[in-house]
């Protein structure tokens, strides 16, 4: 089955700096890579996703890049703000065959943005 | 408001006492799933359901049961809870099977088994 590794486990930055979280996956059949943000006391919320036919996607201050050859993808947050502080999860999925859309998550990254 | 509602939010129980965590979604989603979240392990899938009366095991199904008698409800049942099932549980739903449609998560149920 799919295995997703996420690094770092914790990340501390100053407000205004950039933050980068990296993930690798094992199954070359995976074709969908979402990122979720989990605020304290809440469930994960989808913030951005990328599909295997795209190398990069941006949405305001966040961007995701995908390298299918190396089987890794990254989340980039620019101009970080204190409200970006949360736990971030990457995930991978292969939809097709008998997989029935099983989303496999990374271990999570605790991002702290200091004012 | 489109949402996934879990109950209860917090639960403390004793070993062996059967319990049910309810999950309901109001988005007419076909796909529903249960995850548990543990420190350093991320979110691991327990069970999922592609549609009414169709359920299957995820990565960590031991000690859990589910049912999908109605499209909107997907309860998680612990027949005989044990301390190693102490965890934070999330229910999620998606428009259809295949998370390409994006998951909507509930707010979580923190379960403690003593």
């Amino acid at each position: 089955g799919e295995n997703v590794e996420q690094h770092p486990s914790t990340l501390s930055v100053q407000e205004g700096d950039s933050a980068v979280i990296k993930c690798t996956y094992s199954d070359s059949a995976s074709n969908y890579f979402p990122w979720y943000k989990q605020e304290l006391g809440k469930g994960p919320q989808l913030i951005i996703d990328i599909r295997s036919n795209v190398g990069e996607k941006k949405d305001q201050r966040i961007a995701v890049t995908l390298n299918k050859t190396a089987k890794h993808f990254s989340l980039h947050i620019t101009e970080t703000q204190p409200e970006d502080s949360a736990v971030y999860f990457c995930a991978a999925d292969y939809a097709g065959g008998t997989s029935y859309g099983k989303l496999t998550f990374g271990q999570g990254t605790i991002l702290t943005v200091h004012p | 408001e489109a949402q996934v509602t879990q109950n209860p939010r917090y639960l403390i129980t004793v070993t062996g006492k059967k319990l049910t965590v309810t999950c309901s979604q109001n988005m007419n989603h076909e796909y529903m799933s249960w995850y548990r979240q543990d420190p350093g392990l991320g979110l691991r899938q327990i069970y999922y359901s592609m549609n009414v009366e169709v359920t299957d095991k995820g990565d960590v199904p031991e000690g859990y049961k589910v049912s999908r008698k109605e499209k909107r409800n997907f309860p998680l049942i612990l027949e005989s809870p044990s301390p190693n099932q102490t965890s934070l549980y999330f229910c999620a739903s998606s428009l259809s099977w295949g998370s390409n449609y994006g998951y909507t998560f509930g707010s979580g149920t923190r379960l403690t088994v003593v």
Side-chain angles (χ1 to χ4, degrees):
Chain A
E2 176 65 276
N3 182 51
V4 178
E5 296 289 331
Q6 182 173 346
H7 298 281
S9 57
T10 61
L11 180 59
S12 183
V13 300
Q14 289 295 128
E15 183 177 1
D17 288 349
S18 295
V20 180
I21 302 171
K22 299 181 179 181
C23 290
T24 60
Y25 61 99
S26 62
D27 193 332
S28 57
S30 289
N31 56 14
Y32 175 65
F33 307 92
W35 286 87
Y36 286 82
K37 175 183 181 182
Q38 184 181 21
E39 297 177 335
L40 196 62
K42 296 183 179 180
Q45 185 174 13
L46 179 69
I47 55 172
I48 194 168
D49 57 16
I50 190 168
R51 288 166 172 78
S52 59
N53 58 344
V54 176
E56 183 176 3
K57 184 177 179 180
K58 290 183 180 180
D59 183 4
Q60 299 182 338
R61 295 187 297 108
I62 61 173
V64 57
T65 59
L66 171 65
N67 183 328
K68 285 218 71 179
T69 303
K71 290 190 283 189
H72 67 72
F73 56 112
S74 301
L75 177 71
H76 305 254
I77 306 174
T78 59
E79 300 174 20
T80 53
Q81 300 168 3
E83 50 265 39
D84 294 328
S85 296
V87 180
Y88 291 81
F89 291 99
C90 63
D93 184 20
Y94 56 104
T98 59
S99 70
Y100 298 119
K102 179 180 177 300
L103 199 57
T104 301
F105 285 85
Q107 295 83 358
T109 296
I110 302 172
L111 173 65
T112 303
V113 181
H114 299 282
Chain B
E1 179 187 356
Q3 60 184 359
V4 175
T5 302
Q6 291 179 231
N7 281 297
R9 288 294 307 274
Y10 302 92
L11 179 60
I12 301 174
T13 191
V14 297
T15 299
K17 185 177 181 181
K18 180 180 179 180
L19 67 91
T20 298
V21 183
T22 64
C23 174
S24 180
Q25 50 93 4
N26 62 0
M27 297 166 282
N28 202 36
H29 283 175
E30 289 188 348
Y31 183 91
M32 298 185 74
S33 182
W34 277 102
Y35 283 83
R36 61 178 288 174
Q37 182 179 358
D38 301 289
L41 298 178
L43 292 146
R44 294 179 293 166
Q45 190 180 53
I46 303 171
Y47 268 94
Y48 64 91
S49 169
M50 292 182 290
N51 213 326
V52 175
E53 301 294 358
V54 181
T55 64
D56 206 349
K57 297 176 181 179
D59 293 322
V60 289
E62 295 76 22
Y64 304 95
K65 286 176 57 178
V66 294
S67 69
R68 188 91 183 273
K69 298 178 181 177
E70 304 168 282
K71 197 171 188 178
R72 64 184 295 129
N73 296 323
F74 190 44
L76 180 69
I77 303 159
L78 284 72
E79 293 272 3
S80 183
S82 63
N84 64 11
Q85 292 178 298
T86 293
S87 187
L88 180 58
Y89 291 87
F90 287 101
C91 180
S93 73
S94 178
L95 183 62
S96 181
W97 71 266
S99 55
N100 288 347
Y101 296 96
Y103 281 22
T104 300
F105 281 86
S107 297
T109 296
R110 185 166 292 281
L111 172 65
T112 302
V113 184
V114 298

